[in-house]
Structures are given as C-alpha cells and as structure tokens.
Amino acid sequence: MSTLVIVVHPNLAESRINKRWVQELKKQSGVTIHNLYEVYPDEKINVAQEQELLEQHDRIVLQFPFYWYSTPSLLKKWEDEVLTYGWAFGSEGGKLEGKELLIALSAGSVEENYQHNGGNRYTIEELLRPLEATGHMVGTRLLPYFVQYGASVLTDEQLEQSAQKYAQTVTS
C-alpha cells in the first residue's frame, strides 16, 4: 500500500509533535511525505500536481495541528482548489473513490476538554465532521482518527510513544 501524508503545519521546524511525527514517518517505506507549507510558501497550489499525487496513492493522511477547532488555512484552501467537481466528485469525478483517509492531528488541550462537559463543549469527532463529510463526498473510506491530545503538556516519553504509535497507524 502506498501512503501519502499531507503535512499542513505553518511552522513545522518549531513544532514539537508534528515535526517528530514526520521524522518517524521518514523511516518508513511506502510513505510519501508532502509538506504543503514547504511546497507552497506563496500558497499558490499546483492543482494538477496535487491531483496526480492523490491518484498515485492508496491511503491519504491529513496531518495537522488543530487550530481554533479547525485545520490550518492552507489545508482548507487545498481542499477548495484540489477536490474539484468533475475530478473528486460529480458524475465525471470519483478519482478518490475507495481510497483510505486518515485524519491525524495534534491538539494543544487535554482530552477531557473535548467532552460535552469539558472546556471545549464538543468532542473531536463532532468538531471534525466537516472533514468527515468531505471524505464521504469524494468517496474515501474514513479510518479512525489519530489524535494526540495535550500537546502543550506532553512529556518527552509520551512524545516518543506517540511518534511510534502514529508511524504504526499510518503504515498498517
């Protein structure tokens, strides 16, 4: 199985979790790492190139830090420009039909805050519904989310465990 990991972090070099995840994924075979902010510092997306990359892989991973209950802005722009009618969906679309989709994110807050009675009032699953709906619309098969809660309080040991578990999830 070939896996495309689309990394969307506006400052990956200073990231603790997402940077460590990428380092671990670089050791894996069959994984293509595609850093959108590195490839498109001007945010001018090459739609044909992105669509070709997606077509070449069986599993698509969207990896990002959770910002204000959503994705970084470049991922939304990427969705708007790449997942077009006639290619990703519609009567002439379906190019992603049957591919696996894994959403992997780091959240600064602890898991307890992502409960109905927690500080954020909603679960991660509820907050990620737009991505789930998009995946459904373009025909992908959604895999269970990979979420690392508590990014701001994670110990070095927990970070290493997270990186190992993430690499295993991406490649299994």
Side-chain angles (χ1 to χ4, degrees):
M1 171 176 295
S2 60
T3 301
L4 175 63
V5 179
I6 300 171
V7 178
V8 194
H9 194 299
N11 194 359
L12 189 62
E14 293 190 22
S15 164
R16 188 164 172 246
I17 293 175
N18 283 268
K19 179 172 72 174
R20 180 66 190 98
W21 285 355
V22 167
Q23 290 168 343
E24 196 61 35
L25 289 178
K26 286 181 177 179
K27 301 174 188 177
Q28 310 303 313
S29 62
V31 176
T32 302
I33 298 168
H34 185 55
N35 181 340
L36 290 186
Y37 278 98
E38 181 178 86
V39 175
Y40 303 115
D42 59 0
E43 297 192 12
K44 291 183 168 78
I45 296 169
N46 182 331
V47 173
Q49 176 182 311
E50 294 300 309
Q51 290 175 342
E52 184 178 327
L53 261 176
L54 290 166
E55 287 181 28
Q56 293 171 355
H57 294 84
D58 305 307
R59 176 178 289 168
I60 301 158
V61 179
L62 301 178
Q63 176 188 321
F64 57 92
F66 205 45
Y67 284 165
W68 287 105
Y69 310 109
S70 189
T71 66
S73 61
L74 186 55
L75 181 52
K76 175 62 170 114
K77 180 177 177 139
W78 179 91
E79 288 176 285
D80 291 344
E81 294 184 16
V82 175
L83 304 179
T84 58
Y85 179 84
W87 182 81
F89 64 99
S91 60
E92 302 294 317
K95 301 292 188 195
L96 302 177
E97 188 75 36
K99 293 182 184 282
E100 294 179 344
L101 175 63
L102 172 64
I103 298 169
L105 62 100
S106 57
S109 191
V110 296
E111 187 172 6
E112 292 76 28
N113 284 335
Y114 288 98
Q115 306 299 321
H116 292 140
N117 61 349
N120 296 319
R121 299 187 57 192
Y122 298 95
T123 66
I124 283 285
E125 292 79 12
E126 290 170 322
L127 294 167
L128 291 175
R129 289 279 192 263
L131 287 176
E132 185 176 331
T134 299
H136 175 73
M137 182 173 208
V138 301
T140 58
R141 186 169 65 84
L142 185 65
L143 300 174
Y145 300 129
F146 186 90
V147 181
Q148 178 58 65
Y149 295 97
S152 57
V153 296
L154 209 61
T155 67
D156 289 344
E157 182 180 334
Q158 290 169 324
L159 176 59
E160 287 309 305
Q161 291 170 353
S162 176
Q164 298 298 318
K165 185 176 178 186
Y166 179 55
Q168 181 180 19
T169 299
V170 167
T171 59
S172 63

